[in-house]
Amino acid sequence: MSWRDSLRTKLMLWFGLLVGVLLLLGFVAAFLIARQLIIAGAQERTRYEAAQTAARLHASMESVRITGASMIGIFDNLALDREATIKTLQALLDADASTVGGLIALEPGVLPDGAPMAYYVGVERRGVADRDLIALGYNVAQQPWYRRTLSADKPWWSEPYFNETAGGHWMTTLNLPLRGRHGARLGMVSLDVPIARWSDLVQPLHRIRGQRPALFAPDGTIALHADPKAALKTTLDGYIAVAGRSDLQDMSAARAQGRRFAFTHVLPTTGETRYSVLEPIADTGWALQVSMSHKPLLAELKRTIVRLALIAVLALLLCALLVRRMAARITTPLSDLTGSASHFADGEFDYPLHQTDRRDEVGVMARAFDNARGSIKRQMVEIQDMSTARQKLESELDIAREIQLAMLPGARVLGTDGWRLQANARLEPAKAVGGDFYSFFERDSHTLWFAIGDVSDKGVPAALFMARTMTVLEIAAGLGGSPEIALKEAAQRLLEGNDTCMFATVLCGLIDARSGEFALASAGHEPPALLGADGSARFIELPSGPPLGVAVAEHYPIWRGRLRSGDALVAYTDGVTEAFDAEQRPFGNERLLASLRGTAEPGTLCGNLVADVHRFAAGAAQSDDITVLSLHWSGGGDDASGMRAALHFLAPQDRARLPDVFASVEAALAEAGVERERIGDVRLIVEEVMCNAIDYGGQSGGHEVSLELGIGRDRVDLLFRDDGRPFDPLAQAPPDLDADVQDRPLGGLGLYLIRSLADEAAYAREGRYNVLRIVLLRPDAGE
């Protein structure tokens, strides 16, 4: 056996895979937990650093505010003159480490000399010189920042600006209003602080890897920023718009509202994740942002995980080798068994088998192999015997199939020079033998008996019941009775001793080969189809009785019709309509009619229909027997009257539905071009006969009333049949039309009307049927 397929290799691989999956899950869990802890710690540190730096900035800004407030307090309390004011401001500025200079501006009349004052005091040791702005011609009183300060109620910080006179540095100024004891506006004091001062206070934040500070002035100007294109060149909102930093919009809103804001955000441009804290610097309007990137935080964690993963892989390989070595001790006996099993697979059942003396699982398996070897030998003998028996059974079934098919009649042809009847059939059982059958034989030189049936089961039981059904039907038909009598006799015979409760649906009938007239009776079978010479196809609405073997019906209704030249009557079993394709869709009635419409030759009609069924099934297993029977009639031409094929109408049991039948009769007459006058006469006759037959038939339940309508060039033939009590309407005495209406007996006028309208009329009692024939000549026949 190849090492790739050996059990020890598989054990090693599966063990390695299991341990590897566990290690992977452990690494993933450890990484996620460590990542969360690192990020949470970094966020806490970022919040702390932001708060501490904001406190330092606020302390420096508060120191500047105290310096300005001290100057205002000294000026108000000591009423200083010009020189004293300047010296006092110099002393305060020199003591404040954050300021590099300051301005004191006073309105006229404030100083003892009454002159205005606008003097800038610089801290010389910080590189800023004194300047008398009035002497330099600088009009302080017209400056917006001066007017704003005079009207202000509290100090305010300016936006960063570049100060040429203060050494060419970026500055921000704290402006404080100077008021008198009664609130008079005396002037202002302003103190300049270099932006570099704030930068020095923020500098410790740069020492933390991945941390970036930003400082925003009261109106949103970016005073400090990691991006040199943003610092001291734009506002926060401007930077958001230009740089596409939509992730900072909420922070900008928080800065404008002067509230603290902490959030995690992703840079739209790089996808980098950051955690930022916005810390307002008290009420100064300034705000500090401290941002921490996740990337450097997690870099070391990833490197640690990679190192641990390499160590784990090495440990995994070492464990796998140890497992393989241990598995070799276990699998060596199994390899021995495998070798023996390979000989068994080749049929060498006497090959030596070792390891049977072991007391572990391998020994149990070896002894099981030994028992299996003996069992296989015995089963092989049994299989050989079963194979011989199966071959014998299949041979017997083939013989039974041949016998069953030999029971079925071959094609029949009855005919002379004036008429011809062809009978064909096709049967394909789903198994070796089946339950479908068909039969036809000549009663005389011009009458053919035919039948088709389907037994409720399949296989040998159905074949035996089918043989019995065919025998009983042929005996009953040979006695000369009608299809109804044959079905009743067969139903009685098949019900006797039918302990298996099997049954058969049957359609049987007689056809006169001279005229094409036929009679049908059904015992629960599918309705036959009528294939016209013009290619049309339709089902015959045939009333039915119960299947044979279930019960004996009082009667099986007979349906009568006539084939015209070129017509065919087609009967079939449900194996045709219920044939399923691979998607479990049935062949169905519509496909059956469509297949018949495409068939022209009588000899190929049955075969073509069966072939269409098989094409539709497309390889799906045949689920039921398939049987088709066809009767094709051709006459020597129309008779002297040019009579068309008979149309059959069956009166409904519900008298209220009779108008539908009358309307159908009128439609058929109109379609054939019968004169309107004659159509009215036919309507009167049909209505009178059918209503009388239904109302006075003498039966407690519904009974059969039918009309066969024939339309010729010069005549209309009406043939009425009903199974009521015997009654000859033509034998009734005519009513006395000269008598007074009040003296006449009721009834009789309808029958008189029929005799008056009919050109020919005849009555006969045929079996249990009243048969009334009426002929009406067409007045325009000679034109």
Side-chain angles (χ1 to χ4, degrees):
M1 180 180 295
S2 171
W3 65 272
R4 298 183 182 86
D5 301 324
S6 69
L7 185 58
R8 70 187 66 175
T9 301
K10 293 180 180 179
L11 283 173
M12 179 185 69
L13 293 177
W14 278 109
F15 174 80
L17 179 61
L18 176 61
V19 174
V21 170
L22 293 176
L23 286 175
L24 178 61
L25 294 176
F27 275 120
V28 170
F31 175 79
L32 293 178
I33 293 172
R35 182 180 183 274
Q36 184 64 29
L37 292 175
I38 289 173
I39 291 175
Q43 291 178 354
E44 180 63 28
R45 184 178 61 189
T46 300
R47 291 192 294 269
Y48 174 79
E49 293 289 344
Q52 291 298 312
T53 304
R56 289 197 299 270
L57 288 169
H58 179 249
S60 181
M61 292 180 182
E62 184 65 14
S63 174
V64 175
R65 188 193 66 77
I66 292 173
T67 298
S70 298
M71 180 64 202
I72 293 173
I74 293 173
F75 183 84
D76 285 343
N77 292 321
L78 300 180
L80 303 176
D81 58 11
R82 186 182 299 270
E83 292 299 327
T85 298
I86 294 173
K87 290 180 179 180
T88 301
L89 183 56
Q90 286 176 340
L92 292 173
L93 292 175
D94 190 62
D96 191 342
S98 298
T99 59
V100 297
L103 170 69
I104 182 165
L106 299 173
E107 290 286 300
V110 174
L111 292 175
D113 58 12
M117 179 179 181
Y119 194 87
Y120 184 85
V121 178
V123 180
E124 185 175 356
R125 61 190 180 88
R126 295 174 188 159
V128 180
D130 293 356
R131 297 185 303 277
D132 188 348
L133 299 183
I134 293 179
L136 294 175
Y138 186 75
N139 190 352
V140 174
Q142 297 299 321
Q143 300 305 316
W145 46 268
Y146 179 76
R147 294 195 300 271
R148 176 183 173 182
T149 305
L150 285 183
S151 61
D153 295 329
K154 62 181 180 178
W156 60 277
W157 285 91
S158 72
E159 296 297 294
Y161 62 94
F162 189 75
N163 193 332
E164 293 282 357
T165 61
H169 298 289
W170 283 90
M171 298 284 185
T172 180
T173 301
L174 176 64
N175 301 286
L176 300 92
L178 181 59
R179 303 287 176 84
R181 295 182 182 275
H182 302 290
R185 299 177 182 179
L186 304 180
M188 65 170 286
V189 174
S190 63
L191 305 176
D192 292 339
V193 180
I195 296 298
R197 172 60 178 170
W198 305 147
S199 179
D200 293 339
L201 295 175
V202 173
Q203 184 61 35
L205 295 176
H206 290 282
R207 293 196 293 268
I208 300 175
R209 188 180 176 190
Q211 195 164 261
R212 298 180 179 182
L215 185 63
F216 306 110
D219 289 340
T221 301
I222 301 177
L224 298 175
H225 199 276
D227 186 355
K229 297 180 181 180
L232 299 171
K233 295 179 181 179
T234 184
T235 62
L236 176 58
D237 290 337
Y239 175 70
I240 291 173
V242 173
R245 294 294 303 277
S246 57
D247 55 312
L248 300 178
Q249 288 179 346
D250 291 340
M251 187 189 76
S252 178
R255 187 211 62 79
Q257 298 169 5
R259 58 184 174 88
R260 182 179 290 105
F261 188 67
F263 64 109
T264 301
H265 56 111
V266 178
L267 274 65
T269 54
T270 63
E272 179 184 354
T273 301
R274 291 182 181 176
Y275 177 76
S276 295
V277 176
L278 180 71
E279 189 74 30
I281 302 175
D283 59 349
T284 63
W286 289 79
L288 173 68
Q289 177 199 0
V290 180
S291 178
M292 170 60 73
S293 174
H294 286 189
K295 186 174 181 181
L297 293 175
L298 302 177
E300 184 61 31
L301 174 63
K302 292 180 180 178
R303 285 192 293 269
T304 302
I305 290 294
V306 169
R307 287 193 293 268
L308 291 176
L310 292 175
I311 296 173
V313 169
L314 293 176
L316 179 62
L317 291 176
L318 180 61
C319 290
L321 293 175
L322 293 175
V323 169
R324 190 177 190 279
R325 190 171 183 84
M326 294 174 61
R329 298 176 60 86
I330 300 174
T331 57
T332 298
L334 293 177
S335 299
D336 189 16
L337 286 178
T338 303
S340 299
S342 63
H343 287 280
F344 294 168
D346 294 335
E348 302 176 22
F349 295 105
D350 295 325
Y351 188 84
L353 182 64
H354 305 291
Q355 314 296 337
T356 55
D357 296 333
R358 295 176 65 99
R359 304 185 64 178
D360 56 9
E361 289 83 352
V362 176
V364 173
M365 186 180 298
R367 289 188 290 275
F369 267 125
D370 195 24
N371 294 333
R373 176 169 57 177
S375 178
I376 290 173
K377 289 181 179 180
R378 292 190 298 272
Q379 290 183 10
M380 289 182 64
V381 175
E382 294 176 1
I383 291 173
Q384 183 64 34
D385 295 341
M386 292 174 61
S387 177
T388 302
R390 181 179 179 84
Q391 291 177 358
K392 181 179 179 182
L393 176 61
E394 290 179 351
S395 176
E396 292 175 351
L397 286 175
D398 290 339
I399 296 173
R401 176 188 178 91
E402 294 176 2
I403 293 174
Q404 184 182 30
L405 294 177
M407 294 172 60
L408 304 174
R412 293 285 195 276
V413 178
L414 283 72
T416 63
D417 294 338
W419 46 269
R420 183 181 180 87
L421 176 66
Q422 292 179 260
N424 296 279
R426 178 75 173 269
L427 186 151
E428 290 191 4
K431 297 183 178 180
V433 291
D436 281 11
F437 66 88
Y438 66 85
S439 177
F440 35 70
F441 62 86
E442 300 90 338
R443 272 192 175 180
D444 51 45
S445 61
H446 61 273
T447 303
L448 181 72
W449 162 269
F450 59 91
I452 185 172
D454 182 6
V455 178
S456 60
D457 203 350
K458 301 179 184 66
V460 175
L464 295 175
F465 196 80
M466 162 263 195
R468 183 185 177 195
T469 304
M470 282 187 61
T471 302
V472 169
L473 276 172
E474 290 180 358
I475 292 175
L479 297 177
S482 67
E484 177 191 14
I485 296 174
L487 289 179
K488 290 181 65 175
E489 180 67 20
Q492 180 64 45
R493 296 296 182 186
L494 293 176
L495 193 61
E496 298 172 357
N498 187 16
D499 296 334
T500 60
C501 296
M502 297 183 70
F503 63 88
T505 64
V506 177
L507 174 72
C508 64
L510 291 170
I511 184 169
D512 189 333
R514 298 171 301 179
S515 64
E517 292 186 354
F518 62 89
L520 298 174
S522 173
H525 201 75
E526 283 70 22
L530 184 62
L531 176 61
D534 58 358
S536 63
R538 64 181 178 86
F539 291 107
I540 295 176
E541 297 182 0
L542 176 65
S544 176
L548 305 183
V550 175
V552 179
E554 183 178 347
H555 72 280
Y556 289 87
I558 294 180
W559 194 96
R560 300 179 186 274
R562 183 168 65 185
L563 300 178
R564 61 180 179 178
S565 181
D567 287 355
L569 183 67
V570 182
Y572 55 91
T573 62
D574 59 5
V576 174
T577 55
E578 296 180 5
F580 294 93
D581 64 4
E583 298 180 0
Q584 293 299 304
R585 294 176 300 184
F587 187 74
N589 293 333
E590 294 301 323
R591 290 188 178 89
L592 187 150
L593 294 178
S595 177
L596 294 178
R597 294 187 186 102
T599 305
E601 293 296 327
T604 62
L605 188 150
C606 296
N608 289 345
L609 178 56
V610 173
D612 286 346
V613 172
H614 288 316
R615 276 193 295 271
F616 170 78
Q622 183 178 336
S623 59
D624 199 358
D625 303 334
I626 297 175
T627 305
V628 182
L629 182 149
S630 68
L631 301 172
H632 185 275
W633 185 78
S634 57
D638 294 340
D639 57 20
S641 64
M643 187 65 67
R644 303 186 182 189
L647 301 175
H648 189 272
F649 300 92
L650 185 66
Q653 298 299 320
D654 185 0
R655 196 178 189 279
R657 294 175 54 195
L658 278 176
D660 295 336
V661 177
F662 303 153
S664 298
V665 172
E666 291 183 359
L669 294 170
E671 182 179 357
V674 177
E675 300 76 13
R676 181 178 296 275
E677 177 185 355
R678 265 299 177 239
I679 292 176
D681 295 342
V682 172
R683 168 64 185 260
L684 290 174
I685 293 174
V686 171
E687 184 174 352
E688 180 66 25
V689 172
M690 283 193 167
C691 289
N692 280 340
I694 292 175
D695 294 341
Y696 307 111
Q699 302 214 3
S700 57
H703 55 93
E704 181 183 348
V705 180
S706 64
L707 164 65
E708 184 177 313
L709 175 65
I711 306 173
R713 289 190 300 269
D714 61 350
R715 57 192 284 172
V716 176
D717 285 3
L718 303 173
L719 178 62
F720 297 95
R721 284 188 177 87
D722 73 87
D723 58 353
R725 58 181 178 81
F727 176 73
D728 182 4
L730 304 180
Q732 306 303 309
D736 185 2
L737 301 179
D738 295 330
D740 195 329
V741 174
Q742 296 180 350
D743 297 333
R744 295 180 196 170
L746 296 177
L749 289 177
L751 300 178
Y752 174 75
L753 179 63
I754 292 174
R755 292 196 295 269
S756 300
L757 294 176
D759 294 299
E760 298 178 16
Y763 168 80
R765 181 71 179 182
E766 297 179 1
R768 64 185 184 88
Y769 288 95
N770 294 309
V771 180
L772 176 63
R773 301 176 185 269
I774 296 176
V775 176
L776 287 84
L777 299 178
R778 297 175 59 178
D780 298 333
E783 297 180 2

